Amino acid sequence: MLQLLFVALVGFFASLTNAFYLPGVAPTDYKKGDPVPLLVNHLTPSLHHVSNQNKINSATYVYSYDYYYPKFHFCQPEGGPKKQLESLGSIIFGDRIFNSPFEIKMLEPLKCQRLCTSKYPKADSVFVNRNIRAGYNHNWLVDGLPVASILQDRRTNSEFYGAGFHIGEVDKDQRAVLYNHFDIEVEYHKRSDDIYRVVGVTAAAMSLDRSELEDETDADKLCSFEDLQQVHLEKDKDTEVLFTYTVNFKESPVAWATRWDKYLHVYDPKIQWFSLINFSLIVLILGIVITHILIRTLKNDIVKYNEVNLDDDISDESGWKLVHGDVFRPPPQRMLLSVLVGSGVQIFFMAFVTIIFALFGLLSPSNRGALSTFMLIVYIGSSILSSFVSGYLYRFLGGDNWKLNLVLTPVLVPGILFGIFVFLNFFLISVDSSGAVPMGTMVAVIFIWFAISLPLSIAGAILASKRPLLDVPVRTNQIPRQVPQQPWYLRLIPVMFISGIFPFGSIAVEMYFIYSSLWFNKIFYMFGFLFFCFLLMILTTCLITVLMVYYTLCSENYKWQWKSIFIGGGCAIYVFIHSLFLMGGEKLGGFTSMVLYTGYSIVISLLVFLCCSSVGFISSLFFVRKIYGQIKID
């Protein structure tokens, strides 16, 4: 019955796939004169925006706006903007794609074409000037490619394409300047006679004040860069601005298959290689330490323990056998522990599978929203794994309220994350941000979650109930042993800080690029580096947690279960501190930006905590079973 229900649900959602457009990556062929649509996406902030004197001149905002947000007064197409179909992940992450009034036809250049004349009231001028100072960017799309600005890597003196370009600049007098003319250059590759493909699009934006020109002015004077002044939106009077654009075409030897190469620029790969090598050595050293413990110390301990009785005097350094009667005693709040471990395994599986698919190029950046949509699908689909791990662990720890475990596993952590998400969404709505998720999308996510995740969770719980439990190598005493005073470095807070620094070090460099991608619309594509950093983080978490659990047992503390959770999750503390450090040199604009940045940083840190803590607990569980299975207990 459960299988039939699952098949029916899959078929039902397959029939609704036209509700979200998942664009392909197949090339589009154009003939001469064919229209080449230019689409506009949201306006996004940038990090470290600078003036002509290379000084930060404004606050940093972390939310985006619709391109056609009324206060910007950008030109609209005839009949009004039409929203383009987007994937579910694209909508959740803030993409809002519309058509535009730009008319581009293949191999038909245009010179200084008028778009429209917009009138900026005084209040709107202040708003636009603020966002110019904040470094907001246009994000246009042509044939799936971002319309880019040409940048130069000062280290290598090589040119590359940076997605998007500023809506304006700050001049030497610290006045905001609005760009109102766009030189668009379309690079094409000639595949055969009269068959062309777009392989690159760049735009050079300029500011040209035409307020003194007559309406009948010809194109040469209308776009004369030498004779015209820049456009300044006045805060004490209304300002009229004429928008124009030019289109040119340039043949390129770049093939369609490699057209993204100029967009995917690595600023300094040596830093990432240094980070990988550095923390690979740390993992190697930790591995040697753990091997030393397992092969020498534990071997000697086991031989010694098997030769003496419990009543004999045992040295302090061999104290882990003294707690053999309590080491598998069920911990307090075993329900919560089981749910957290199950949810952490689900997050780990989602991250691992997503990185693997992206590593092999199956989640192309040209397929907008594919990465986030895939993550959501894997997360929902892995509910069966979460429920299985949680239910099995709960039974192993002696729990009997399996119904509550079945309900809490798919609801507790996702419910907390969704609650934070809804709370932050209200702040996005309050500033009219395009990142605010529509109510219909929220309802769709909730419906998908309860229609797919809950049945999968039930299936996982059923599978867990039928699996035989792990053997416990020692019996648990009826009376719990008293835990002696612990060394300072094994107390909860110090041990989290000590153990968390090692896993965090393996991902510290990648965190900068991940945050730039999340907050400032940068393209993240270094999944090879990310994959190895992720593996280093997981391996380091396993090793450091096992090491600290061993020392905890040696200090005659049998309460290792919750401690392994917090030791493994100690990395999350540094992730949160690092996120604050990344914005240390920036002035966040307004209370909303501070709440959004802090809130989403907490969410990311929570996800890291759950992922690493589950890895730490599971590795510690197998370690404890292994060492206590090697000694003889009378």
Side-chain angles (χ1 to χ4, degrees):
M1 183 65 184
L2 185 62
Q3 293 177 340
L4 291 176
L5 176 62
F6 176 69
V7 171
L9 286 171
V10 171
F12 173 71
F13 284 105
S15 66
L16 296 180
T17 52
N18 60 349
F20 299 105
Y21 172 56
L22 298 176
V25 292
T28 302
D29 294 329
Y30 297 94
K31 295 182 179 180
K32 184 176 181 179
D34 285 350
V36 182
L38 188 151
L39 306 176
V40 292
N41 201 353
H42 53 182
L43 303 169
T44 54
S46 58
L47 184 64
H48 301 311
H49 41 276
V50 296
S51 66
N52 291 340
Q53 289 79 31
N54 292 323
K55 296 180 180 179
I56 295 176
N57 50 62
S58 177
T60 297
Y61 297 88
V62 295
Y63 48 85
S64 56
Y65 289 102
D66 278 337
Y67 183 84
Y68 294 116
Y69 186 62
K71 291 186 178 182
F72 284 104
H73 297 279
F74 291 140
C75 301
Q76 299 187 8
E78 292 184 9
K82 295 181 180 178
K83 190 171 177 58
Q84 307 297 301
L85 294 176
E86 302 171 51
S87 66
L88 179 60
S90 181
I91 295 174
I92 292 176
F93 276 78
D95 282 343
R96 302 292 183 267
I97 303 176
F98 296 88
N99 63 334
S100 75
F102 295 90
E103 295 182 358
I104 303 176
K105 295 184 178 180
M106 179 59 71
L107 294 180
E108 293 186 3
L110 298 174
K111 184 177 182 180
C112 203
Q113 294 293 303
R114 296 172 184 260
L115 276 175
C116 72
T117 299
S118 296
K119 185 176 182 179
Y120 287 84
K122 292 179 288 186
D124 293 351
S125 296
V126 173
F127 173 81
V128 174
N129 286 338
R130 186 206 75 174
N131 291 305
I132 290 174
R133 295 179 182 277
Y136 271 78
N137 293 324
H138 289 288
N139 293 284
W140 298 351
L141 299 169
V142 174
D143 195 49
L145 283 175
V147 177
S149 52
I150 300 177
L151 305 176
Q152 187 174 28
D153 190 334
R154 296 179 181 178
R155 184 180 56 85
T156 61
N157 292 324
S158 60
E159 289 187 348
F160 64 96
Y161 290 173
F165 55 95
H166 291 315
I167 65 173
E169 66 177 13
V170 179
D171 62 17
K172 60 183 179 181
D173 297 324
Q174 297 298 307
R175 299 180 66 191
V177 175
L178 176 67
Y179 292 146
N180 64 328
H181 176 78
F182 311 100
D183 272 346
I184 303 171
E185 184 175 79
V186 179
E187 298 179 10
Y188 66 92
H189 179 75
K190 187 175 181 180
R191 181 169 174 80
S192 60
D193 292 341
D194 203 30
I195 298 295
Y196 308 94
R197 290 178 177 175
V198 176
V199 294
V201 187
T202 60
M206 285 157 280
S207 181
L208 304 175
D209 186 0
R210 288 78 167 250
S211 59
E212 302 297 330
L213 299 179
E214 298 179 357
D215 293 340
E216 294 80 13
T217 304
D218 59 23
D220 291 334
K221 292 184 179 180
L222 199 62
C223 295
S224 177
F225 310 134
E226 298 178 356
D227 300 334
L228 299 178
Q229 301 296 317
Q230 294 179 320
V231 176
H232 299 282
L233 301 181
E234 304 295 340
K235 62 181 180 180
D236 53 358
K237 65 177 182 179
D238 296 347
T239 308
E240 286 193 353
V241 178
L242 172 63
F243 287 89
T244 57
Y245 70 102
T246 297
V247 180
N248 293 302
F249 292 86
K250 176 183 176 182
E251 187 171 2
S252 172
V254 176
W256 185 90
T258 59
R259 65 179 187 164
W260 277 92
D261 289 356
K262 279 193 174 183
Y263 291 87
L264 309 181
H265 177 75
V266 180
Y267 279 94
D268 195 351
K270 291 183 180 179
I271 295 177
Q272 294 181 311
W273 280 116
F274 176 78
S275 174
L276 276 178
I277 295 172
N278 186 29
F279 285 96
S280 296
L281 292 176
I282 291 178
V283 173
L284 179 62
I285 293 172
L286 280 176
I288 293 174
V289 172
I290 297 297
T291 303
H292 173 77
I293 292 174
L294 294 178
I295 294 180
R296 296 192 60 184
T297 309
L298 279 176
K299 184 177 180 180
N300 294 336
D301 288 349
I302 291 170
V303 171
K304 184 186 302 182
Y305 284 146
N306 290 334
E307 292 177 352
V308 299
N309 296 321
L310 287 178
D311 296 332
D312 295 337
D313 185 23
I314 300 177
S315 61
D316 292 338
E317 64 177 0
S318 304
W320 59 270
K321 186 182 178 181
L322 298 180
V323 296
H324 71 90
D326 299 276
V327 72
F328 289 103
R329 185 178 301 280
Q333 302 297 329
R334 54 191 168 191
M335 174 71 76
L336 179 60
L337 187 144
S338 302
V339 172
L340 293 181
V341 172
S343 299
V345 170
Q346 184 180 12
I347 294 170
F348 166 79
F349 181 79
M350 175 197 69
F352 182 77
V353 172
T354 302
I355 293 173
I356 289 294
F357 271 71
L359 179 65
F360 288 101
L362 300 177
L363 301 174
S364 170
S366 62
N367 194 348
R368 299 192 66 84
L371 182 66
S372 50
T373 303
F374 184 80
M375 288 177 62
L376 185 62
I377 292 173
V378 174
Y379 184 71
I380 293 176
S382 58
S383 297
I384 187 172
L385 179 62
S386 171
S387 184
F388 175 83
V389 173
S390 177
Y392 188 86
L393 180 60
Y394 184 63
R395 287 178 57 223
F396 176 77
L397 296 177
D400 54 5
N401 194 354
W402 62 269
K403 294 181 180 179
L404 182 60
N405 179 267
L406 174 61
V407 173
L408 287 179
T409 302
V411 171
L412 181 62
V413 171
I416 292 174
L417 295 176
F418 186 77
I420 297 175
F421 178 76
V422 171
F423 172 75
L424 297 176
N425 199 58
F426 282 117
F427 284 89
L428 291 171
I429 294 174
S430 68
V431 293
D432 296 325
S433 172
S434 66
V437 178
M439 184 59 66
T441 304
M442 284 192 177
V443 173
V445 171
I446 295 174
F447 180 72
I448 291 173
W449 182 259
F450 280 97
I452 297 180
S453 179
L454 286 183
L456 289 177
S457 297
I458 294 173
I462 294 174
L463 292 175
S465 65
K466 295 181 179 180
R467 294 285 298 178
L469 293 177
L470 292 173
D471 295 330
V472 176
V474 291
R475 294 190 303 270
T476 301
N477 296 334
Q478 293 183 352
I479 301 175
R481 181 186 180 89
Q482 185 177 1
V483 178
Q485 183 73 21
Q486 297 294 294
W488 68 269
Y489 57 86
L490 290 180
R491 295 173 185 172
L492 184 60
I493 301 301
V495 79
M496 288 183 68
F497 277 94
I498 293 172
S499 59
I501 189 66
F502 295 100
F504 170 74
S506 60
I507 60 170
V509 174
E510 292 302 311
M511 288 300 298
Y512 171 80
F513 297 100
I514 292 174
Y515 269 73
S516 296
S517 176
L518 288 175
W519 291 112
F520 304 109
N521 205 41
K522 302 297 182 183
I523 301 173
F524 185 86
Y525 55 90
M526 295 173 289
F527 291 101
F529 283 110
L530 182 62
F531 174 72
F532 286 108
C533 289
F534 182 75
L535 287 184
L536 286 177
M537 182 187 73
I538 296 302
L539 288 174
T540 310
T541 300
C542 291
L543 294 173
I544 196 67
T545 307
V546 166
L547 183 63
M548 290 301 179
V549 166
Y550 171 75
Y551 286 131
T552 298
L553 295 175
C554 286
S555 64
E556 301 179 23
N557 183 0
Y558 60 87
K559 299 178 180 180
W560 60 270
Q561 293 95 338
W562 276 108
K563 180 163 283 190
S564 67
I565 291 286
F566 288 103
I567 291 173
C571 173
I573 298 176
Y574 291 95
V575 170
F576 182 72
I577 295 174
H578 184 255
S579 66
L580 300 181
F581 175 78
L582 287 177
M583 279 295 183
E586 302 290 328
K587 176 186 175 184
L588 287 176
F591 179 70
T592 298
S593 290
M594 289 188 286
V595 171
L596 290 173
Y597 187 80
T598 305
Y600 283 115
S601 297
I602 290 174
V603 170
I604 293 172
S605 302
L606 178 60
L607 295 176
V608 173
F609 175 83
L610 291 172
C611 176
C612 293
S613 62
S614 63
V615 170
F617 175 84
I618 293 174
S619 58
S620 299
L621 174 61
F622 283 99
F623 171 75
V624 172
R625 285 188 70 252
K626 184 67 174 178
I627 63 173
Y628 282 95
Q630 301 299 315
I631 60 175
K632 298 177 181 178
I633 303 296
D634 295 333

